[in-house]
Amino acid sequence: MPIIQSLKSKDLLGVKDLSQDEIHLILETATGFKEVLGRDIKKVPALRGKTVVNLFFEPSTRTKTSFELAEKRLSTDVLNFSVPTSSVVKGESLFDTIKTIEAYGVDFVVIRHSSSGAPDFIARHVRASVINAGDGVHEHPTQALLDAFTIRERKGFFPGLEVAIVGDILHSRVAKSNMQSLSMLGAKVRLIGPPTLMPPHVPEGVRVFYDMDKGLKDVDVIMMLRIQMERQGKGFFPSTQEYYRYWGLNLRRLNSAKKDAIVMHPGPMNRGIEITSEVADSPQSVILDQVTNGIAVRMAVLYLLAAERA
Ligand code: CP
């Protein structure tokens, strides 16, 4: 059981701001909400009367829909801000946009933005709780939390668990948040990918492999990453065919990992480039569990941040 009862901050801007106890509290709270989601009536009145605005300046399928479902399951009023039909296209600044929304008296701002640090900027200027739903190449904390929840559900523990994060680490906010959360929980993290897609600084204790077959040997969890074409210039690798040849996860490579290894991917997937359909749709894949668990974990984050403000 977690030894704390609440989060210390009004916002969730990154895993960097969470303690190990706070992560355990979020996972434990999400377990309760997952039970609620299995009922006939999947809704609780926990946040009735609260208002959430979802501000997505970048495309999203999973994060946006699961936040919206989480908010509705908690009985909040939900405002989905549509960037393409807003005054942002007329040049309104992020500051003026957020101050306008704050004037409606919202309690939570969920934000995805292509600029690293945009959620931190907003959090400094509004009274509402700000939740980072992915900012540039910086952090994606709720993805790391739902990944931890999924790993705990399947493996039951973290200390000593061998987790390989594979692919475009350099441009991945998912990898950066996961490296921090998994290391904090006691897992042994290794990174696998081409030298051109490795970050210049790797946290202490995290091992780096440039050879996929060696890197996957005896791992418990394989976390594949999407190649972030939209954040890359040219020249990180010669071609997608070449990328698949050296870094793609197929059934032969999966055999290097432990027999009961699980395969994860935050999505969206580039099938046939970073992962084959045989692996993505195999019994070892927990990719759709990650999607399902996103709702319970985001409910837990909203609920605990509301408790912090009460
Ligand atoms: N994992 C993730 O962030 O997916 P979306 O971009 O679809 O939200």
Side-chain angles (χ1 to χ4, degrees):
M1 284 296 289
I3 55 169
I4 56 165
Q5 301 296 320
S6 63
L7 303 181
K8 64 179 181 303
S9 171
K10 90 169 173 58
D11 310 297
L12 177 59
L13 303 176
V15 169
K16 65 179 181 348
D17 302 325
L18 294 173
S19 66
Q20 189 193 56
D21 285 337
E22 286 178 308
I23 295 176
H24 281 300
L25 175 65
I26 294 168
L27 301 186
E28 205 57 45
T29 308
T31 304
F33 283 126
K34 185 150 184 188
E35 186 272 317
V36 170
L37 295 172
R39 296 180 195 162
D40 280 349
I41 297 170
K42 300 172 172 55
K43 203 162 173 150
V44 288
L47 296 192
R48 195 161 50 196
K50 302 284 183 199
T51 305
V52 186
V53 59
N54 296 316
L55 266 171
F56 279 70
F57 288 83
E58 261 194 350
S60 166
T61 297
R62 284 143 286 267
T63 312
K64 187 169 187 296
T65 50
S66 70
F67 261 114
E68 190 173 340
L69 272 174
E71 292 151 9
K72 289 179 172 167
R73 300 287 189 243
L74 289 167
S75 307
T76 65
D77 295 321
V78 179
L79 180 63
N80 283 311
F81 181 86
S82 168
V83 173
T85 57
S86 74
S87 291
V88 170
V89 294
K90 297 182 208 160
E92 189 161 36
S93 68
L94 181 60
F95 179 81
D96 285 334
T97 302
I98 199 68
K99 291 309 270 185
T100 301
I101 286 168
E102 187 181 38
Y104 298 130
V106 301
D107 300 286
F108 295 95
V109 176
V110 176
I111 176 157
R112 168 168 291 192
H113 205 284
S114 56
S115 296
S116 302
D120 300 59
F121 171 79
I122 291 174
R124 284 198 300 275
H125 290 98
V126 297
R127 287 180 300 278
S129 287
V130 177
I131 303 175
N132 180 359
D135 64 327
V137 297
H138 178 221
E139 279 235 36
H140 194 347
T142 58
Q143 179 68 44
L145 290 165
L146 75 88
D147 289 341
F149 185 91
T150 306
I151 292 171
R152 193 178 79 149
E153 199 171 54
R154 290 300 182 121
K155 297 291 174 190
F157 64 97
F158 292 101
L161 208 62
E162 294 281 356
V163 182
I165 305 179
V166 185
D168 183 0
I169 317 282
L170 181 65
H171 300 101
S172 175
R173 54 199 179 203
V174 173
K176 291 186 184 83
S177 291
N178 263 300
M179 268 189 263
Q180 298 176 73
S181 54
L182 292 169
S183 298
M184 222 188 300
L185 292 167
K188 292 185 189 166
V189 179
R190 54 178 88 174
L191 307 178
I192 308 174
T196 48
L197 292 176
M198 281 294 163
H201 303 291
V202 170
E204 211 181 305
V206 172
R207 289 195 292 161
V208 175
F209 291 83
Y210 301 119
D211 181 302
M212 179 102 167
D213 294 303
K214 284 184 186 149
L216 287 180
K217 198 162 162 33
D218 296 330
V219 298
D220 300 284
V221 177
I222 307 172
M223 191 177 285
M224 299 304 296
L225 299 174
R226 181 173 71 87
I227 305 174
Q228 311 250 326
M229 297 294 191
E230 74 276 24
R231 299 189 213 284
Q232 291 189 8
K234 289 199 189 313
F236 285 94
F237 50 88
S239 66
T240 50
Q241 290 91 333
E242 181 106 340
Y243 186 90
Y244 169 72
R245 189 164 154 219
Y246 289 102
W247 315 109
L249 184 63
N250 53 29
L251 283 179
R252 181 190 69 72
R253 289 210 164 111
L254 180 55
N255 283 334
S256 300
K258 286 191 183 152
K259 280 205 165 6
D260 63 350
I262 57 170
V263 177
M264 309 178 78
H265 194 304
M269 287 183 275
N270 294 304
R271 288 177 184 252
I273 300 177
E274 68 244 2
I275 190 167
T276 63
S277 287
E278 278 179 320
V279 175
D281 303 328
S282 74
Q284 283 170 265
S285 166
V286 297
I287 293 167
L288 291 178
D289 297 87
Q290 291 172 266
V291 175
T292 305
N293 290 336
I295 306 173
V297 167
R298 288 172 174 130
M299 285 173 82
V301 168
L302 286 158
Y303 176 79
L304 290 167
L305 288 176
E308 192 277 336
R309 293 166 63 88

